[in-house]
Structures are given as C-alpha cells and as structure tokens.
Amino acid sequence: MGPVAGPEAGALAARARALAVLRVRGAALAVALVPAAAAVVLAAGSAMGRIPDGSAWDVVRPVVSAVALLALALAAAVATVVSRARPALSPTVPIPEETAPDLYRLVRDLAERLDVPAPSAMALTPDCDSWLEDRTHPAHTVSRRLLRLRRRAGASPVLVIGSPFLWWMRVAELRALLAPVVAGTGPAAHPDIAAARRFVRGLDAAVAVAAPRPQLAFVGWVARVLLRSCRDHAAEMERGVAAAASERAQSVDYGLRIVAQEQVGLAYAGWDRLLNRVALPAWRMGRWPSRLDAGVVSALTELSRRDRLAEGFASRLGERPACDLLEEPGVIDEAASLLAARLFHGGPAHPGPDWSPVAWSQYPDEVVDRTWRLEAARLHRVLDDIAATGAVPGAQDGTRSGPGPDAVPAAPTVARILDRLTGPAGSGVGEELEVRLSAEVAREAAQEERAAERGAFGAAAGSWVDGLAPLFPLQPPRSGRELLTDHVTAMVCCAAVDTAGAAPGLDWLDGPALLVGGARRADLARTVLSLIEDGDGEPLRAWLGDVGVRPEKPVRLM
C-alpha cells in the first residue's frame, strides 16, 4: 500500500506526536510509582517468607516505604497543581449566537462542507489573527457537570476571529480565510490530540502558578522538566494539525483564499498604524476611540488611495462587509475597542470620568486639540522652572525679574521657544528641556499607575487583564528628543489654531494633523527638527510667516 497523502497524512503525524506527548506523561507517572512498586515487592516478599527476618532487608524495607510515601505525596501534589492550574485564556469579546446568527450559520455551513465539527462558540480578538481555543478546563466552565457533559459530547473549541477582519473583509473573503481554521476542529476532536493538548496546557499553567510561590518550587521544576521533554513532540503535533487542516481546506474557496491572504497583510498594516498613531494619543488622554474597527476601514481606504500597491482594494467596498453578519456591529466594535485599549495600553475595564469613549467626529477637538494644549502647557512650565532656577546660564527670559522663586513667568508664545532654543544657550536649554520633560512625563505616568493600583483606574500598566493575559504596550517610552519635538510641535499647532485660523484634524494613517485652509500641513515636522537638532530657527520662522501665525501672541494653554 502506498504512502498516505492529503489531510490524513498530517492527521496521522499529529496523532503519532500526541501519543509521544502522552508517553512522556506515562513515563513521569511510572517514575513516581517505582518506589511504591519496590515497597510492595519488599512487603510481599516478607509476608510470603521469601525475605528472612533479622536481615538487612529489615532496614531497607521501612526506608523504601518512606521514600515511596514521599514520592506518592509529591506526585499527588504535582498532579493536583497541573490539573487545577488555570491555563492561559485569550482575552476576547464573546459573540453569543443570538447576536450573530448569520455568522454562526456561515461557520456551520463551512464546517459541514469541510466535514468537521462546528466550533462550539465564537469570540472576537482585537488583533489580526484567528485561531481555535479549547475552553473546557474546569476553570473556564460554569459547573463540573456541564464540563463532564461537554467533554463526553466532544465539545469543539471556540473560534476566535480577529475583529479587523470582520470590518475590512467581505463575507466571501472571511469564509475563505476561516476555512483552514475551522478545519482544525477535526483533528482537535481526536481523543489523543485533545488529551495531549490538555497535558501541555496544564504543565504550562503549573509553571506560571509555581513561579511566584517558593513553596511550589518542586512542582514548578517538575513541570518545566516535563515541558522540555515534550516540547518538540507538541510542536510537531501542532504542525501536523495545521497541515491536516490546511489540506482539508484546499477544496473550499481556494482562489478566494489567495485574495483573503492579501487582505490579511493590508489589514495588519492598517490596524498597526491606527493603534500606534491614532488610538495611542487618545489613550494617553484618558479617552478610547469607540469605533476602532470602523476606523480600520477608513485607514485602509486612505492607504488604498495613497499606495499604488493597494490600488483596487477599495473597489471591494461595494460588496457586503463581513460585519453585516452581526446584528449590532456598533456594540461589538465598542466592546472590542475597549478590550484593545486594555490589552495595548492598560486602561480600565469599564468607562469612567477619566476613561470615556470618544467618537471619530469628536476626536480632533477632544483628543488632538487637548493633547496640544497639555503638551504646550508642560513645555512652558518646564521652561519656567529652568529660568527660575538658573539651571542653564543665560537661559533667563528678558521679561523675568531674574532667577529665583519670585521670578515672573514669561508669556507662553512661540517667539519665546524660538528665542530659548536659538540663543547663545540654545543647546544647553534643549538638553535641559529633554531631561526635564522626560522626568515630568515619567512622574505623571507613575501617578496614573498609583491611581490604578488604588482602584481608581482599573488594571494598572504592567498588570494582567483579568489574570489571563499580560498587557502588550504598543510603543516604548519616548526619548527626550522625541518628547521635545512633540512638545514644540504642539506649541506651534496651538499658535496656528489661535492666531491663523487653523484647525486640529485627524489623518487616518498618521494620526493628529494640523489643517490650514482645510488641507493638512505635513511640512511642519521638518522645520521643528531643524530648530531642535541644529538650533536653526529660520525654517520655522518662514513656515510661521507662510501660514500667518503670529509668534509673539500668547497661546491659550487650556
């Protein structure tokens, strides 16, 4: 008989590796039972008269029995922790069937075409990825009776779908994209593969449980040893499952899958830019955009307009979007947007006075303008401190009475910034501003974190979301040079709004933008960099004159 081909080959390979994982479990159990078996042999030999009394065996027998009891106790402790430790569960937004009957119908039809069990439920993740997740662990189930029923019935895993896919992809594209994922429910239903996965997840969870607890050091050590022993087998098992699922899905919408994979890359690029350049400034302000997934469509449509490589993608928007499969897409988008803020920034679980949603129509005024005003106020406050303390010789303002606590603060103008950064002490002032702005921003972040720990702000930065998954910061802290650049740019934008009729705006790909005459002015960044890096203020002065900004006029800071 020839070699097995197609999905069955991958399934057979996955089952073989699953058995290898289970053999590691069996070997561990055998090692734990060896002392007990030796104690039983010695006891039986004594009872049957095969081992004479009064010999050295009388000393060996109680020692072996004690070792056996200790080994059994330690094995029981390890088994208890492994079985009860809560495996990592991805934070998601559940989608009950009544809120998305068309989506459930699509997935069930897809599973029927693939001849695999349908997923037991669905959920959304605020990321560009999709996968199956087993949630039959006792910690993830309401009752043990329900758990037994689900396991006896061979409950399928939960299908987790990336929320950006639902809004950007069309219905046919989503079905083609999900085909290989849904096909994975077939191998996942095999008892050996399911048992091997539960064993590996239990070990992983046991390591996490034991790490902060010195009294469980032995349990953690055993779990790590077992994980290392079965790591390669588990990885090969998952590759086999993926290969079997991919092969099975070849017969379903193969041509569309190629198009859908192209959309995955585009969606990821738009999602990443939207989070970093649009959502992050809002999160730092204590506001969270409530329609992030809808924003992905706008961002990718704009990318299609600008990028020749993306030409033609926007023409798809006339087809039915996959989010139409939801009964209330706005509600689901809001929940996914809040979860994204928690995962990528560390915001609280629920809206509040200092953590409120913002619509895209309100974004320029509620986020962009307020961010500029706050950064401009911080910049002038730090400049006042430098001048008042005389930290940089020659950095005092002419309108001041001199260094000291009684000095009169200078007016917040762009002219003041230009004078301080281009004067004889400009280099020293710039370096001091970078240091002090970094310290100021770090101090404010520390205050927010302390407020979070007191419960005023929910989950603190660096904590775990519901104890299930760590936060994933989008960007590292800004350097002093980046902070100074952002603050000077904010000051100039405020002056343009106050004195030249400019307006705050939103660019879907680049974030906060300055609109002059209704058009975005993207050339400001170059002039600000010349001022900060080279101490040359002439390009910025020319820009101010071109736009009509009056640098000597005080700026409204709040």
Side-chain angles (χ1 to χ4, degrees), residues 40 55 58 89 101 111 113 210 216-217 226 231 242 248 261 264 308 313 385 464:
V40 170
S55 64
D58 291 340
L89 186 68
R113 291 174 63 185
L216 295 179
L226 293 177
R231 179 187 302 156
R248 184 177 293 275
Q261 287 300 328
V264 169
R308 288 185 302 172
F313 287 156
D385 293 341
W464 288 46

Side-chain angles (χ1 to χ4, degrees), residues 326-404:
L326 305 174
E327 291 291 301
E328 298 184 42
V331 175
I332 299 295
D333 194 358
E334 185 170 349
S337 300
L338 180 56
L339 181 57
R342 299 179 63 200
L343 288 175
F344 298 111
H345 184 67
H350 305 286
D354 298 323
W355 186 243
S356 54
V358 59
W360 292 125
S361 59
Q362 302 170 330
Y363 187 95
D365 291 330
E366 294 293 327
V367 176
V368 179
D369 188 72
R370 285 182 59 198
T371 300
W372 288 344
R373 305 287 174 184
L374 288 173
E375 291 189 342
R378 186 186 294 123
L379 176 63
H380 280 278
R381 186 167 64 248
V382 172
L383 267 180
D384 290 341
D385 293 341
I386 292 174
T389 59
V392 179
Q396 285 72 35
D397 293 290
T399 56
R400 287 179 166 271
S401 60

Side-chain angles (χ1 to χ4, degrees), residues 39 93 288 350 403 450 480 517 528:
V93 176
W288 52 278
H350 305 286
R450 285 195 295 271
V528 173

